[in-house]
Amino acid sequence: MRELDWIKKAINDLALTAERDGEYWRASYTREDAAGAALLEKWLQEKSFQTRYDAAGNLYGRLEGSSKETFLIGSHRDTVRNGGKYDGALGILTGMEAVYSLLQEKGRPQRTVEIVAMCEEEASRFLTGYVGSRAIVGELSQKNLEELDDNGVSLMEALAESGYYRGVLPQKRDDIVGFLELHIEQGGLLEKEGREVGIVTSVVGILAGEIVFYGRQNHAGTTPMRLRCDPVPVAATLIQQLDCWAREKKDQITCTFGNVVVEPGKSNIIADRVTLTFDIRSGKGELLQEAEAKIREILEKDKTIKAEIRVACQDPPAAMDEEGISLLETLAEERNLSYLKMSSGAGHDSQIIAPKIKTNMIFVPSQGGISHSPLEYTDMDDVGQGYTLMKAYIEAVAWQR
Ligand SMILES: [Zn+2]
């Protein structure tokens, strides 16, 4: 397919603009970001789109339809450090090509169609992330703009320096009636199940933070067991019990304790404190609430030490649009594409947009389930299946309505 040849070349050409000391890294509002955006803008213009940037640096390509109602398609253009070529970029490039090819085949659309290359989804520079999608739904606050990067530069300064921000916060887009994001799966489920595409039902919610257990530092040899106030076994019990609880829920919830710090961290000293991070994700909001209650219940059982929970992030799951899911299923069946309805374990711009605008996502398989790595790879045949479904969906919602 001619369209796939273009997408394949574009993926590689775009990645080259983010090459930095031999690795791919497009942090937002940097030289690499400007180079990537300029190339995307050139391609959009060549493909008949009118281009512009908003105050958050999102790049849009607009194709005017008979109606002002706008259908938005796209993904993010930033990458993690030492990331891959497909994450984010694929959703922008496939969208751009699908709309261009529909324009050639069918003429102007009924609905106006816009392609968007969003900024700062990955927290590639500012910890909060999702800057571009927050801007679209009018949720980028003054406080967000004051957030600092590792070098003490604020988001506002970075945006102003890039020429995007001129003192006015981005306005909420009221004209958008639907959003579609094609993305690599970033997991190995499609490959394992032998399905060609994923139809996303929800993006998981997340409960994350840290728990600090306070003990009493003392000598490992002279302090009898009954006189100790040791936070390590208490932390270990919590980890073990929550892990067991999550396993009982089958594939409905994940629970990760990614960082456990014991202080002072010496083999012959009873610890003074233990800090552990928790990252709990589920497509079901009630399970996340249950997890939090479970943590509190386990902590309350132990009366020997004091523990403090610091919740850093509590985002409910974001449901994709039901009507859109049904339409994607029908279109996949008509084209003999094998699909899997699935929840997304990774975060996406779609989860920010979904509560405000009807949103749907298509996944294509990630080889070996690998992502956020230079080894990230999706076979062009697999890209092709996702592209076919995407193009059919865009035709249905923007051309045929
Ligand atoms: Zn992504």
Side-chain angles (χ1 to χ4, degrees):
M1 205 194 303
R2 179 184 47 79
E3 292 137 85
L4 281 186
D5 292 339
W6 182 82
I7 293 167
K8 185 179 177 184
K9 184 172 183 320
I11 288 168
N12 288 312
D13 288 353
L14 185 64
L16 287 177
T17 64
E19 207 173 344
R20 179 167 163 161
D21 305 328
E23 63 180 33
Y24 297 119
W25 187 20
R26 181 175 291 107
S28 296
Y29 320 122
T30 58
R31 205 176 50 201
E32 290 76 17
D33 184 41
L39 186 57
L40 287 167
E41 187 175 16
K42 174 178 161 279
W43 287 333
L44 283 166
Q45 288 171 353
E46 284 169 3
K47 292 181 189 293
S48 319
F49 293 91
Q50 280 181 309
T51 58
R52 71 175 195 288
Y53 291 88
D54 69 11
N58 291 322
L59 165 65
Y60 296 95
R62 183 175 174 93
L63 182 66
E64 212 72 47
S66 319
S67 138
K68 292 282 174 206
E69 280 186 350
T70 305
F71 186 70
L72 188 69
I73 305 148
S75 194
H76 60 95
R77 67 173 193 257
D78 63 322
T79 75
V80 294
R81 186 167 193 172
N82 204 17
K85 300 178 186 176
Y86 299 81
D87 186 351
L90 191 62
I92 303 168
L93 298 171
T94 48
M96 190 189 297
E97 185 62 8
V99 172
Y100 177 59
S101 122
L102 282 165
L103 174 68
Q104 289 177 315
E105 292 165 23
K106 315 256 163 203
R108 292 262 152 196
Q110 287 293 315
R111 274 179 172 156
T112 294
V113 182
E114 282 193 24
I115 304 298
V116 62
M118 286 177 276
C119 290
E120 192 58 10
E121 185 263 359
E122 296 279 15
S124 57
R125 182 162 170 193
F126 296 93
L127 205 62
T128 330
Y130 305 113
V131 169
S133 42
R134 279 184 216 278
I136 289 170
V137 293
E139 284 181 356
L140 198 63
S141 64
Q142 198 62 37
K143 191 163 166 268
N144 290 139
L145 292 183
E146 285 161 15
E147 189 176 340
L148 303 179
D149 72 2
D150 290 345
N151 296 315
V153 178
S154 73
L155 173 58
M156 192 192 295
E157 286 164 343
L159 283 169
E161 203 175 300
S162 302
Y164 301 131
Y165 179 73
R166 295 185 186 86
V168 183
L169 279 169
Q171 291 294 302
K172 175 177 178 287
R173 294 281 307 265
D174 288 322
D175 55 325
I176 302 173
V177 293
F179 174 61
L180 178 69
E181 181 173 20
L182 179 146
H183 203 280
I184 51 169
E185 182 198 348
Q186 302 181 279
L189 211 54
L190 288 174
E191 197 178 65
K192 188 169 163 280
E193 300 278 327
R195 310 290 176 92
E196 292 168 311
V197 288
I199 297 175
V200 179
T201 52
S202 70
V203 178
V204 295
I206 179 167
L207 173 70
E210 59 181 27
I211 306 170
V212 188
F213 300 81
Y214 299 94
R216 197 167 56 238
Q217 191 173 329
N218 212 335
H219 194 290
T222 60
T223 319
M225 298 305 279
R226 65 190 165 83
L227 294 181
R228 307 178 166 211
C229 182
D230 186 351
V232 175
V234 184
T237 302
L238 180 116
I239 292 173
Q240 195 268 338
Q241 290 192 5
L242 214 67
D243 187 85
C244 273
W245 173 83
R247 281 170 200 272
E248 281 165 14
K249 306 289 174 197
K250 305 290 179 212
D251 286 345
Q252 295 191 88
I253 192 161
T254 58
C255 179
T256 308
F257 300 97
N259 191 16
V260 182
V261 180
V262 178
E263 294 169 90
K266 295 284 176 244
S267 63
N268 58 357
I269 300 176
I270 297 164
D272 176 54
R273 74 167 70 183
V274 175
T275 306
L276 64 87
T277 61
F278 60 91
D279 177 305
I280 303 169
R281 303 186 195 210
S282 176
K284 295 190 169 166
E286 61 273 22
L287 274 181
L288 292 175
Q289 287 168 1
E290 212 182 299
E292 190 179 352
K294 187 82 189 163
I295 291 175
R296 295 190 189 278
E297 180 197 312
I298 296 167
L299 293 179
E300 273 163 26
K301 259 190 211 154
D302 190 286
K303 306 289 182 202
T304 59
I305 66 146
K306 201 175 134 244
E308 191 186 333
I309 306 175
R310 296 172 186 163
V311 175
C313 165
Q314 198 162 20
D315 290 335
M320 298 296 108
D321 181 56
E322 289 288 344
E323 242 176 83
I325 293 171
S326 305
L327 178 57
L328 285 166
E329 284 185 90
T330 307
L331 295 169
E333 279 157 20
E334 284 171 4
R335 281 155 190 79
N336 286 321
L337 293 170
S338 61
Y339 65 89
L340 183 69
K341 281 169 79 178
M342 61 192 293
S343 195
S344 168
H348 296 289
D349 286 311
S350 282
Q351 85 200 50
I352 303 295
I353 299 176
K356 300 287 169 67
I357 296 166
K358 289 179 176 183
T359 295
N360 287 97
M361 285 193 85
I362 297 170
F363 274 170
V364 292
S366 295
Q367 196 175 80
I370 297 168
S371 166
H372 283 188
S373 151
L375 299 175
E376 180 180 281
Y377 179 74
T378 297
D379 189 84
M380 282 316 287
D381 285 345
D382 291 330
V383 170
Q385 317 288 12
Y387 176 80
T388 299
L389 182 59
M390 174 190 229
K391 188 172 164 185
Y393 187 82
I394 297 170
E395 185 184 353
V397 298
W399 264 264
Q400 290 173 351
R401 61 180 292 279

